[in-house]
Amino acid sequence: MAEPLLELRNLRKAYGALVVTDDVSLSVRPGELHAIIGPNGAGKTTLIHQISGTLASNSGSVLFGGEDVTQLSMPQRVRRGLARSFQITSILPGFSALENVALAVQARSGSSFRLFGQASQEKALNEPAMECLAQVNLAARAHVPAGLLSHGEKRQLELAIGLATAPRLLLLDEPLAGTGHEESQRVVETLRRLKERLTIVLIEHDMDAVFSLADRVSVLVYGRVIATDTPARIRENPEVRAAYLGEEEMV
Amino acid sequence: MTEIAETPSAPMPSLSTRFEIVPIVLFAAFAAAPLLAAYSGAEGYVLSLLTRVMIFGIAAMALDLILGYGALVSFGHAAFLGLGGYAVGILASHGIEDALVQIPVALAASALFALVTGAISLRTKGVYFIMITLAFGQMLYFLATSLAAYGGDDGMTLSSRSLLAGTGVLKNDFTFYWVCLLCLLGAYAFSRSVVASRFGRVLRGTRENSIRMEAIGFQPFRFQLAAYVLSGMLAGLAGCLLANQAEFVSPAFMTWQRSGELIFMVVLGGLGSLHGAVIGAAAFLLLEEFLPEILHSLSFFLSEEARSHLAENWKMVFGPLLILIVLFVRGGIMGLLRRPHHG
Ligand SMILES: Nc1ncnc2c1ncn2[C@@H]1O[C@H](COP(=O)(O)OP(=O)(O)O)[C@@H](O)[C@H]1O
Ligand SMILES: [Mg+2]
């Protein structure tokens, strides 16, 4: 089998006595869409923080593309192709949608210590940024200040920003959170297109979306991975049903 | 990060082009002033006051670069005025009187001080950053008071203004005025370029959401530190000019009150427009200069004794007045100038 693109080895994170990530080991294969599901408070966001470098782990290691990145900062991991989105929308509200994305392009194209020349006029940054916006159907809103976009559009913008970092793997923390039905359909379609060419780790509460998009699903309960399998087998898994699925209406 | 940091500022360059009339009028006024000063009958006084305004304008603008565009509330920026001033004073006392040597030395000293203190201060955020910059400022202040060889507490008088390439042209008040105006224009043009550049965009982005900036691959610390160094150097330049204007340097250049005044100038003028800081410096210094007289004439209905009391204690009015302006004129004076366009 191909070497995993992302591998977590015995990751652990505790807040005092509360163990939020409990000995998590997981591998994500190149090209797959790997969903992580679990009840609220299971530790999914914390896990994304640890993988992306937002938060340091207590122990264990994160391997990306075969390299141990455990000690690297978030910016360093991003530069190696590990991008993330946030559960709570995180954008630059005062910048236009285009500039939000162009900044991500700028981060990987040449020095940002240039003190002269108008950054907002640089074609070499704006054109790739426009392409990323087009991929999430936001091109028409490129010049709107990001703070004025609708909630759904902001979620799309986060995706575009992530894409603009030219990632090899995209960590998405509930990209559908808070979007209406129509908007969420649009994001799901976008994800379906992206998974053709990107490896994605998707955290999502919308089970329809998860089961229609995912190649494999891991179930996280109280900080432990209790199962990793194909969507169909996860549905059947008695342990998963007992711990999690049973309570939900999506059986 | 802090209250100040959250007030709207740092508009994108494209938005601010609409208000370009303001800096043009501002700099034209500075250019025209010497001509008018000749007719005022108090030429020396007017020139020296306006020269001070421009010098503090440069210092306030330097602060605006990190405060308005980077949300870094440095409460120790007067230290750079002191560094610039003492570079001139100390070098002059050793017979090195040429500005072409003094200014590079002052800039290097400011850059070094900014690099070291910034690298430490920028590890902290919010109130801690304010306190630690204040502490570094005080450290330099006490160092200056202990420099017995250079006047200690009392400071030292310069024997004359700096030479310029061996000539004494700066001794002429008009020439010195024009040199200060050139420095102001140069600093403004440079700062404008910086905030619109790739570098400035990262700084502005960090101001809005530093986690997001990290999540796209930037290390905010490096950019903030570089901005801090640039800002310190500009303020150091202002210090060189200030020493020459006063023909005197003393620890009073870098009291914490002076640092506070710089913050006030920036907030008064309006954060994040650069020329707003210059307007803020002008408003602050002119108010400080003329408030006693203004109070005296506004209180014509009071008894002569009360009027002179009021004029004497003008500071009792100055403080609250500044607070009222900051509270009720959101976005400072630039905010006022912008308002009609939005309405
Ligand atoms: N900074 C923190 N300090 C203490 N507890 C935290 C902190 N962040 C998260 N937690 C706890 O960790 C658990 C997992 O949180 P989270 O990772 O956000 O879960 P999920 O994303 O699966 O809903 C929760 O019980 C939460 O209360
Ligand atoms: Mg979560």
Side-chain angles (χ1 to χ4, degrees):
Chain A
M1 204 197 306
E3 190 186 316
L5 179 58
L6 174 73
E7 196 178 349
L8 310 181
R9 287 187 188 158
N10 312 101
L11 269 192
R12 187 186 146 85
K13 178 80 197 176
Y15 291 108
L18 178 68
V19 180
V20 180
T21 304
D22 191 359
D23 197 30
V24 168
S25 296
L26 197 85
S27 41
V28 176
R29 298 170 191 152
E32 79 171 334
L33 191 150
H34 195 124
I36 299 177
I37 62 173
N40 263 328
K44 304 180 296 293
T45 296
T46 305
L47 188 61
I48 292 279
H49 285 335
Q50 288 172 270
I51 301 172
S52 62
T54 317
L55 205 62
S57 303
N58 295 128
S59 61
S61 48
V62 179
L63 279 80
F64 183 63
E67 181 192 7
D68 188 336
V69 297
T70 318
Q71 302 304 324
L72 299 185
S73 68
M74 173 152 65
Q76 288 172 315
R77 295 185 202 193
V78 175
R79 281 162 180 266
R80 281 164 174 73
L82 188 56
R84 69 164 295 179
S85 76
F86 292 83
Q87 180 173 358
I88 298 164
T89 307
S90 177
I91 52 172
L92 307 172
F95 284 58
S96 69
L98 180 65
E99 273 207 292
N100 267 272
V101 184
L103 256 171
V105 179
Q106 181 184 322
R108 61 174 168 85
S109 3
S111 170
S112 279
F113 281 93
R114 289 186 208 157
L115 303 179
F116 302 97
Q118 288 238 342
S120 60
Q121 306 299 319
E122 277 191 58
K123 275 217 176 74
L125 303 180
N126 289 342
E127 277 169 8
M130 224 32 202
E131 258 167 54
C132 294
L133 282 175
Q135 286 182 44
V136 301
N137 304 316
L138 265 188
R141 307 282 277 159
H143 298 288
V144 177
L148 300 182
L149 295 173
S150 75
H151 179 75
E153 288 172 329
K154 285 179 186 159
R155 302 305 293 171
Q156 299 269 61
L157 177 60
E158 275 229 41
L159 263 180
I161 295 171
L163 289 176
T165 63
R168 290 154 71 199
L169 186 148
L170 203 49
L171 301 163
L172 301 177
D173 195 353
E174 302 201 24
L176 303 182
T179 57
H181 181 70
E182 227 167 276
E183 283 175 332
S184 90
Q185 283 310 107
R186 226 174 297 140
V187 180
V188 168
E189 281 323 303
T190 308
L191 292 180
R192 205 181 300 285
R193 261 181 289 125
L194 293 181
K195 71 171 269 199
E196 296 303 316
R197 57 184 184 81
L198 272 176
T199 310
I200 297 177
V201 171
L202 172 70
I203 290 181
E204 193 40 71
H205 265 303
D206 181 330
M207 290 302 149
D208 289 337
V210 167
F211 284 101
S212 79
L213 287 168
D215 298 309
R216 288 198 302 160
V217 179
S218 288
V219 183
L220 198 67
V221 178
Y222 294 122
R224 288 182 154 272
V225 176
I226 61 167
T228 296
D229 221 324
T230 59
R233 294 238 280 276
I234 284 291
R235 262 186 235 246
E236 322 276 83
N237 186 319
E239 217 184 326
V240 173
R241 293 178 77 102
Y244 177 51
L245 295 181
E247 310 156 14
E248 308 264 322
E249 69 282 6
M250 40 54 66
V251 201
Chain B
M1 210 152 106
T2 61
E3 256 322 281
I4 291 175
E6 277 154 21
T7 55
S9 70
M12 272 148 282
S14 58
L15 280 179
S16 61
T17 44
R18 264 196 298 162
F19 314 113
E20 293 302 17
I21 187 76
V22 175
I24 291 172
V25 169
L26 176 69
F27 292 118
F30 278 123
L35 312 174
L36 301 177
Y39 293 99
S40 70
E43 186 178 290
Y45 167 74
V46 173
L47 270 188
S48 117
L49 178 62
L50 289 180
T51 305
R52 264 177 76 80
V53 166
M54 292 191 294
I55 294 171
F56 277 96
I58 297 174
M61 198 158 67
L63 182 59
D64 192 26
L65 199 57
I66 56 168
L67 178 53
Y69 293 88
L72 300 171
V73 188
S74 163
F75 204 158
H77 243 49
F80 297 105
L81 283 177
L83 274 171
Y86 272 89
V88 170
I90 292 175
L91 287 174
S93 76
H94 292 286
I96 303 170
E97 296 192 74
D98 204 301
L100 296 184
V101 179
Q102 291 172 343
I103 290 178
V105 169
L107 295 186
S110 303
L112 186 67
F113 184 72
L115 192 66
V116 173
T117 63
I120 298 168
S121 316
L122 286 167
R123 307 265 169 211
T124 65
K125 297 236 176 323
V127 171
Y128 299 99
F129 180 80
I130 300 177
M131 296 324 276
I132 199 163
T133 50
L134 172 64
F136 279 124
Q138 288 302 93
M139 193 184 81
L140 213 59
Y141 170 81
F142 288 118
L143 178 69
T145 60
S146 67
L147 289 178
Y150 303 108
D153 267 332
D154 302 328
M156 58 179 155
T157 306
L158 308 183
S159 57
S160 73
R161 291 210 180 119
S162 303
L163 302 175
L164 191 61
T167 68
V169 289
L170 294 184
K171 288 181 180 122
N172 178 298
D173 283 346
F174 275 99
T175 315
F176 185 62
Y177 182 94
W178 289 114
V179 167
C180 288
L181 181 55
L182 266 182
C183 288
L184 178 65
L185 275 172
Y188 180 70
F190 175 71
S191 304
R192 279 295 292 257
S193 165
V194 167
V195 298
S197 71
R198 279 182 166 215
F199 174 82
R201 183 154 77 169
V202 177
L203 190 65
R204 286 183 281 126
T206 302
R207 193 195 87 93
E208 291 210 6
N209 184 345
S210 90
I211 298 287
R212 171 37 81 194
M213 295 303 282
E214 285 182 51
I216 58 177
F218 289 111
Q219 288 169 296
F221 174 79
R222 297 182 179 190
F223 294 88
Q224 290 173 329
L225 183 58
Y228 193 72
V229 170
L230 287 178
S231 169
M233 290 170 74
L234 282 178
L237 172 67
C240 293
L241 298 174
L242 190 60
N244 272 292
Q245 192 271 333
E247 298 183 48
F248 174 71
V249 278
S250 82
F253 271 46
M254 42 182 148
T255 58
W256 64 268
Q257 290 93 329
R258 180 54 61 74
S259 295
E261 283 171 12
L262 287 176
I263 296 179
F264 227 110
M265 290 172 185
V266 178
V267 176
L268 186 63
L271 284 166
S273 70
L274 298 173
H275 45 266
V278 181
I279 294 174
F284 186 96
L285 293 173
L286 296 179
L287 260 183
E288 191 179 52
E289 189 72 19
F290 295 116
L291 196 58
E293 285 167 41
I294 294 171
L295 285 177
H296 193 260
S297 45
L298 279 183
S299 59
F300 57 87
F301 49 87
L302 295 176
S303 73
E304 192 52 43
E305 196 189 356
R307 289 175 74 182
S308 58
H309 253 317
L310 193 59
E312 258 169 47
N313 297 304
W314 60 275
K315 281 190 174 159
M316 303 264 291
V317 179
F318 190 47
L321 184 66
L322 290 179
I323 290 170
L324 286 177
I325 295 177
V326 170
L327 276 184
F328 291 105
V329 187
R330 275 289 158 142
I333 296 169
M334 279 308 294
L336 270 186
L337 293 175
R338 266 171 211 172
R339 201 151 296 168
H341 297 265
H342 284 304

